[in-house]
Amino acid sequence: MATEQGSNGQMELHGDELLVVDGVKKYFPITRGIIFQKAIAQVQAVDGVSFSINPGETLGIVGESGCGKSTLARCIVRLLDTTAGRIMFEGRDITNVSRVAMRPIRREMTMIFQDPYASLNPRKRVGFIIGEPLEVHKLGTPAEVKRRVQELLEVVGLNPEHYNRFPHEFSGGQRQRIGVARALAVNPKLIVCDEPVSALDVSVQAQILNLLKDLQDDFGLTYIFIAHDLNVVRHISDRVMVMYLGQVSEVADRDTLYREPKHPYTGALLSAVPIPNPERGRAREAIVLEGDVPSPVNPPSGCRFHPRCPRFVEGHCDVEEPELFPFGNGHVAKCFYPLERWPMTAEEMRRRGTARAQEEPVQA
Amino acid sequence: MALLEVKDLRTSFKTEDGIVKAVDGVSFTVEKGQTLGIVGESGSGKSVTCLTIMGLNAKRTTMSSGEALWKGKDLLRAKSSELRKIRGDEMSMIFQDPMTSLNPVHTIGKQLVEAVQLHRDVTVRVAKARALELLKAVGIPKAEGRIDDYPHQFSGGMRQRVMIAMALINDPDLLIADEPTTALDVTTQAQILNLMKRLQEDFGSAIIMITHDLGVVAETADDVVVMYAAKVVEHAKVHDLFNRPQHPYTWGLMGSLPRLETDTERLVQIPGQPPSLLRPPSGCRFHPRCPYVMGVCRTTEPKLLATERDPSHLQACHLDQETKDREANKLIESTMAEVG
């Protein structure tokens, strides 16, 4: 798959990308047996994902739970080893570098985790938590570390006096600020944010989103921003990648994706988001997908979305796997029967799809 | 007579640190076939309000006062045996977390049958037929084959459907849904909300929808109650709330929402954190976070009063009507601006 995606324009590299992910796969084995464990099946959590990020850009990744977005994030920062594919950071292949060789690279990319309650050690003081990355990388004397930590606390909007407090003395939003400060401590170039605001209340969520934007402007950060909330992703991203069952189904710059989605899955996701406006929300017709995300152990044949797709064409979508077709300007979508316009009603989506199918199977 | 009439409900919990007033003077009514949305952040008292109505708080550490009139009968003063008869039959609840609210060691069929037999004197066979009917109604594919499955064999969305089936199995007059879609993906959320809407049309139940998501409220509710720090700050018809919000907290909630349909570079943020209910702020509880705060806000608690032009639109804020109208219009204009 990786080579196919490479050939259709998505992977045209210009040399100064910060991060290049090329055909990355991550399979988890399902084993049986106690002493002699043998793999009986594989969970194809990430299956051939390619993309690149330019410095200073924010790439949003959306998808339902189980689509492999978190696994992908963990592969990128090398918390998980990949099964296949390449990850290049600043032109250097980091897919298989040793732990020791990886260490200086870890200073360049850090991660913010989803759960601000579970990701901070309850027995350590905030000063230690934020300063730990500096100590690990031996950046500065204890006095310098302390000064840096207080500076970071101020940057993320916390009181530098709270250096000696424990995580439980902070609210959820403040804890997420501590997580942000820790990720910032080593002056990274890339921060991978894995659902950083989904555990927070809306008013606090807005504070963290604004903070992340300000930090990006101040320090020229690059973000990979993973979330299941399409509103949040739209707010923060420059480009958005939609994932379904371990694969990329659509990539486009933010405005294009939200204004002219091509993949029926993207369309269904967009129309499922409740609109906080009673007139507009109730007037539009949501395209409700049937059923659940299929199991990544045994993904559907052909296009992985075909069992739930309103545009499904028998004998085509379930047999042949679509590649990521280009729509210009870096917009790609993995679909044989892309949407013609947006918004569409569920009825239109279905009708147009079959109408086109009657003309097209010969050519296809 | 209203189906449910809650009057000046107060609930407080005894904790090691002192008394927490989790609900402080909440009133609302729910009419037959209507949906009431209760919105607020975590800790605003929206769930406790409903747990108190249902009589599900731990008795030893909870003190409640006020009235919750169910078809004219006060639930707060009802005996446990009477409450047990009402709960699960006339009134039922869908909990937030479908992963933990089903019993993992019994099949879903058994749990559904139990719910029927607690309230109806019927045989297992009849109860099971009813369970199957409901599983089909909530859209579980191949329900016959799945009725003897255990909860872990279902996905999150499917488990939430089982919870809804269980809540609806005795045709309740009122369904309390506590964040029914928060743990779910948007696509599954759309399925569940559609399902609830359809079942409401078919069965004519009233719904109390507790949520922190203004989008969900906008799409489902008829009336909306906005809660902040254990109190109601605004109460209005859904169209009035979204077109003429009257309380600075409501403005903050609406402004802090990233939206699909509009472009905003920066979100309006409500500064600070929700207050501790152990020592709530003096005067208006929102005053430490309110950008429009005046001297009177710090000392005097605003009453929940009707606005001049609309007796059904209640709000608790000291600001004058002119300022409110101006700010509300500003907010609506900024959030209504279409993209491109």
Side-chain angles (χ1 to χ4, degrees), chain A residues 190-209:
Chain A
L190 174 70
I191 300 185
V192 179
C193 315
D194 187 3
E195 305 253 13
V197 296
S198 37
L200 306 174
D201 276 316
V202 268
S203 71
V204 182
Q205 179 179 311
Q207 294 174 6
I208 299 291
L209 289 175

Side-chain angles (χ1 to χ4, degrees), chain B residues 111-130:
Chain B
Q111 296 181 55
L112 287 164
V113 165
E114 184 190 12
V116 180
Q117 289 193 314
L118 272 176
H119 297 285
R120 308 266 185 278
D121 189 16
V122 292
T123 60
V124 173
R125 186 189 296 257
V126 175
K128 202 157 182 180
R130 173 73 183 149

Side-chain angles (χ1 to χ4, degrees), chain B residues 298-313:
Chain B
R298 295 194 177 87
T299 51
T300 318
E301 194 185 318
K303 287 200 179 70
L304 188 67
L305 297 171
T307 56
E308 285 156 28
R309 73 169 82 79
D310 185 356
S312 73
H313 193 148

Side-chain angles (χ1 to χ4, degrees), chain A residues 39 45 47 93 105 173 237 249 255 328 336 348 358:
Chain A
D47 197 16
D93 191 335
I105 301 168
S237 309
S249 47
D255 291 338
F336 291 121
E348 279 173 331
Q358 280 159 7

Side-chain angles (χ1 to χ4, degrees), chain A residues 289-312:
Chain A
L289 293 180
E290 306 276 319
D292 289 329
V293 183
S295 156
V297 177
N298 190 9
S301 61
C303 172
R304 293 193 171 182
F305 185 56
H306 86 254
R308 301 173 77 193
C309 185
R311 307 206 129 192
F312 166 58

Side-chain angles (χ1 to χ4, degrees), chain A residues 64-65 171 201 203 207 210 213-214 231 234-235 258 274-280 282 284 288-289 291-292, chain B residues 41-42 155 185 187 189 191 194 218-219 221 239 243 258 260-263 265-267 269-270 272-273:
Chain A
E64 292 172 276
S65 38
S171 69
D201 276 316
S203 71
Q207 294 174 6
N210 284 343
K213 277 203 155 182
D214 293 345
N231 293 318
R234 177 176 190 277
H235 181 72
Y258 284 83
I275 299 176
N277 176 323
E279 284 83 11
R280 225 184 280 172
R282 291 175 200 209
R284 61 110 199 232
V288 177
L289 293 180
D292 289 329
Chain B
E41 294 179 89
S42 31
S155 68
D185 283 312
T187 51
Q189 167 170 293
Q191 292 172 1
N194 268 13
E219 300 214 344
H239 293 273
N243 292 328
L260 276 187
E261 76 270 42
T262 52
D263 257 329
E265 208 25 62
R266 268 186 87 77
L267 299 170
Q269 61 184 46
I270 307 179
Q273 312 289 334

